[in-house]
Amino acid sequence: MKIDVLILGGGPGGAAAAMFLLREGITPVILEQDEFPRFHIGESLTGEAAQVLRRLGLEDKMNAMENPVKHGVRVYGTNATTTWYVKVSSRDANWNLSDSTTWQVRRSEFDKMMLDEAVARGAKLMHGTAIKALQDEKKGLVGLRVRWPDGKEEDISTKVVLDCSGQSTFLANQKITGPKYMGSYDKQVAFFTHVRGAIRGAGTTGVEAKDNTLIFYDKKFHWAWFIPIDKDIVSLGMVTPRAKFLEKKQTPDEYFRSEVYNINPEIGRRVPKLDLAEKVHVIPNYSYQVRGFCGKGFICLGDSHRFIDPIFSFGVTVTMREGEFAAPVIKQFLEGKLDDRENPFEELQMAFEKGIDNLEDMIDLFWEQPFAFATFVHQRYTDQMTDAFAGRIYESEHQPSPSIMAFRKLLKRTREYDADDYSVPIGSRYHPERAPLWAPDSPVEGTEEWIGRGRGLGLAEA
Amino acid sequence: MEVPQKLKDYLNEARAPLPPISDPNEPLHIDSLGLIRLVSFLESDLGVRVEDDELLADNFATLGAIQKLLESKTPAGNTN
């Protein structure tokens, strides 16, 4: 079998990339191992995720599915004594800011809609599991070995692999990419479920809109989310340090029930009773960054090259936007216009890297300096903060903005893309051994010890 | 720079119902929204510019810390 573009993974990243490629006249093949619908976490979309869906002509479909409409995110501070609100916004061609909306989704249904739509528009879907990356010394990645559901294996040749395998990070694990490094938030665990009978906002727009995302903050690395995903059900999740969970020696269900109300008193008012419509799921918040994630014959999108922290719901946004940026470049590549380059997708890689670096600065500042962060949202950089929250994070979108530059100043951080140690990600620079993380047995206990030790060693950047 | 009476009055009001500050090193116990208002007050009523990288909760945790921050600045009247 010989094809132009093989998309590894049929989640929203893979499906959106397929639709953008089809627009360029390229017919991709999507390889997916699961039968959809299947459960997935990550239920809130940002403003720019909605814009991508609108550009794909999916707005009517999203409304017909009766996905809850999100007007903004409300954050409740410690003890719920203060709150702040960031509205969903969009920018027009002249960069004028206006209020906008996006959607909350039940991922099993949203992901299925996206994949079905990609297939309806012409993408080919194959069910199977990638088991090996096939390399050629000169040409780079030339295909994947696939195991079909009947157990037979087959080598599939392709000109480009789009890795949309999410946190499985297939190409990084196959060492096709550069090293995979541990990120800053590697010792937390998320517990989440779906609840009935939660009390939403009473309004139809603005801060009180009934289907807004609520975030409950307790203290560093302790927080919870509240995301309405249909007219009855709210996704309720809690993140705490893994050590705290291990200490309690409880099942995830017991731990969730006993701890969630301690995060913030507002949770008790919003969820008077834990009437569960789904079991308590548990996933580690395992943050990482892959270097060299684009190269000869491959591009990694979304979680397959980087995952930071789920707090502001950027996952689906980033992967779909990267797919949109990648499609026209893949077209140039297939036309032979990038043949002279060592890494035909280098510019793409740098653009993605810079975009997510901006997000990383934002998330780090939220955790490190919540007071400064809240001041920026309330007073100093209100419009720019809505840009970042909406997912407008790329150079073509006036980033890094003065607000991002202020984050870096507060974090005592610079981003020098041509510096020698740039290949070691910010989150890993404090690591005493600067070791790439190929296995989950890091020599260091946890992020805070890690950063603490790094500072002690004078490794923090000037 | 002496801590202006205006600022002391503001802080005592902001932390009510706690009693007025008696020790410059006692925690002020002003919540984050209160701190944001305090920064506005410093800028609008005392003419002090608080820079982005000074927006650290520690700089506003006690009267002593605020005093230190103010001392580090050129008096407002002398700028430019």
Side-chain angles (χ1 to χ4, degrees):
Chain A
M1 197 182 303
K2 197 156 172 60
I3 50 191
D4 284 337
V5 181
L6 179 59
I7 299 175
L8 178 55
M19 288 187 255
F20 284 115
L21 286 167
L22 286 159
R23 285 193 169 182
E24 301 287 344
I26 299 161
T27 302
V29 173
I30 301 173
L31 181 68
E32 170 58 50
Q33 60 183 354
D34 291 334
E35 288 290 338
F36 283 25
R38 50 90 181 95
F39 185 88
H40 206 283
I41 190 63
E43 293 139 329
S44 194
L45 305 182
T46 67
E48 286 303 311
Q51 295 296 84
V52 172
L53 295 171
R54 291 179 185 118
R55 286 196 287 278
L56 285 171
L58 294 170
E59 180 161 24
D60 290 345
K61 213 153 210 164
M62 290 296 288
N63 287 330
M65 290 169 78
E66 298 185 341
N67 289 303
V69 175
K70 168 182 168 186
H71 293 257
V73 179
R74 189 172 190 183
V75 179
Y76 287 83
T78 312
N79 297 324
T81 51
T82 62
T83 76
W84 44 268
Y85 176 68
V86 181
K87 59 192 177 186
V88 174
S89 66
S90 61
R91 294 272 187 183
D92 65 14
N94 298 317
W95 208 243
N96 295 312
L97 191 68
S98 58
D99 292 0
S100 186
T101 59
T102 183
W103 296 277
Q104 319 279 23
V105 296
R106 185 187 284 273
R107 283 291 298 276
S108 55
E109 290 164 13
F110 173 72
D111 293 8
K112 182 169 184 340
M113 180 279 285
M114 291 290 284
L115 186 57
D116 288 349
E117 191 65 26
V119 171
R121 293 180 187 194
K124 292 191 182 107
L125 175 64
M126 300 192 305
H127 283 285
T129 304
I131 53 174
K132 189 174 189 300
L134 306 172
Q135 274 179 292
D136 174 283
E137 243 172 63
K138 278 198 194 129
K139 295 188 204 151
L141 187 64
V142 293
L144 298 177
R145 180 165 299 159
V146 175
R147 183 178 296 130
W148 303 117
D150 63 9
K152 289 196 180 117
E153 292 179 9
E154 184 180 352
D155 288 354
I156 300 182
S157 300
T158 179
K159 291 175 186 150
V160 182
V161 171
L162 272 187
D163 186 351
C164 301
S165 65
Q167 299 203 359
S168 313
T169 64
F170 180 78
L171 290 182
N173 289 355
Q174 291 278 315
K175 305 195 181 183
I176 296 298
T177 63
K180 179 178 176 180
Y181 286 94
M182 184 194 287
S184 299
Y185 307 103
D186 63 316
K187 301 292 179 189
Q188 298 172 72
V189 188
F191 302 85
F192 51 93
T193 182
H194 291 163
V195 297
R196 297 182 198 93
I199 298 167
R200 309 180 190 197
T204 51
T205 59
V207 63
E208 284 296 338
K210 70 178 165 46
D211 292 330
N212 285 346
T213 294
L214 308 180
I215 289 177
F216 308 103
Y217 177 85
D218 175 17
K219 58 189 176 209
K220 197 172 177 184
F221 301 146
H222 295 68
W223 63 282
W225 72 74
F226 176 111
I227 300 171
I229 59 166
D230 67 22
K231 63 186 187 359
D232 301 314
I233 302 290
V234 167
S235 168
L236 183 68
M238 164 182 83
V239 177
T240 75
R242 188 178 63 182
K244 188 169 167 181
F245 168 60
L246 295 176
E247 217 171 82
K248 299 263 174 172
K249 296 189 174 16
Q250 290 174 314
T251 65
D253 184 79
E254 288 164 350
Y255 183 68
F256 183 79
R257 287 172 188 274
S258 68
E259 290 297 321
V260 69
Y261 290 115
N262 295 335
I263 295 278
N264 192 294
E266 183 68 14
I267 299 176
R269 292 191 277 274
R270 295 284 180 171
V271 187
K273 191 164 96 104
L274 275 181
D275 180 4
L276 303 194
E278 176 76 43
K279 69 171 185 165
V280 174
H281 293 258
V282 50
I283 48 164
N285 260 7
Y286 164 58
S287 79
Y288 53 82
Q289 181 169 359
V290 175
R291 286 299 186 196
F293 59 90
C294 297
K296 271 190 182 165
F298 68 94
I299 298 170
C300 298
L301 301 183
D303 286 358
S304 79
H305 69 89
R306 193 156 173 187
F307 183 81
I308 302 174
D309 184 284
I311 186 152
F312 298 134
S313 307
F314 287 121
V316 175
T317 312
V318 168
T319 191
M320 294 199 308
R321 299 209 68 193
E322 289 182 349
E324 183 174 13
F325 287 126
V329 183
I330 292 169
K331 184 179 187 196
Q332 287 185 318
F333 175 75
L334 294 176
E335 288 169 348
K337 290 180 182 158
L338 307 174
D339 282 354
D340 52 336
R341 314 229 183 150
E342 177 57 31
N343 176 358
F345 305 118
E346 191 167 10
E347 284 163 30
L348 212 50
Q349 175 173 280
M350 189 48 91
F352 294 175
E353 193 113 81
K354 287 180 174 173
I356 311 183
D357 283 349
N358 294 331
L359 283 186
E360 184 175 61
D361 294 337
M362 177 181 180
I363 291 168
D364 287 352
L365 189 77
F366 176 81
W367 288 121
E368 298 293 333
Q369 302 293 348
F371 161 55
F373 193 90
T375 310
F376 289 173
V377 170
H378 269 286
Q379 285 185 337
R380 295 203 170 179
Y381 300 109
T382 305
D383 289 356
Q384 291 168 25
M385 294 297 283
T386 74
D387 283 333
F389 271 96
R392 288 184 287 279
I393 53 173
Y394 297 102
E395 243 171 0
S396 54
E397 295 165 322
H398 306 280
Q399 297 287 9
S401 64
S403 68
I404 303 269
M405 296 312 286
F407 301 167
R408 291 183 189 167
K409 211 169 162 192
L410 274 154
L411 292 163
K412 299 187 175 18
R413 167 181 299 174
T414 55
R415 297 279 189 185
E416 288 161 26
Y417 292 95
D418 49 2
D420 286 347
D421 68 348
Y422 181 68
S423 66
V424 181
I426 289 274
S428 283
R429 286 186 201 174
Y430 305 111
H431 195 298
E433 294 160 25
R434 296 191 169 197
L437 185 81
W438 293 110
D441 56 346
S442 154
V444 185
E445 284 304 307
T447 309
E448 296 192 47
E449 294 87 334
W450 207 32
I451 289 173
R453 271 201 236 173
R455 288 195 178 142
L457 293 168
L459 290 177
E461 305 98 294
Chain B
M1 142 180 197
E2 262 300 285
V3 174
Q5 190 57 42
K6 221 159 111 176
L7 174 58
K8 282 186 194 160
D9 292 345
Y10 180 90
L11 291 172
N12 284 331
E13 206 171 301
R15 70 194 227 109
L18 292 174
I21 303 158
S22 55
D23 173 355
N25 296 319
E26 69 177 299
L28 291 174
H29 293 299
I30 296 175
D31 66 27
S32 59
L33 198 59
L35 289 183
I36 293 169
R37 291 198 190 104
L38 169 60
V39 171
S40 306
F41 171 83
L42 291 172
E43 297 202 321
S44 60
D45 287 50
L46 297 183
V48 175
R49 167 74 190 163
V50 180
E51 301 299 332
D52 288 342
D53 56 353
E54 291 168 342
L55 291 169
L56 309 173
D58 287 350
N59 284 341
F60 304 92
T62 64
L63 183 62
I66 297 172
Q67 185 172 6
K68 212 170 137 195
L69 180 70
L70 297 182
E71 277 167 359
S72 72
K73 294 178 173 294
T74 317
N78 295 354
T79 50
N80 302 322

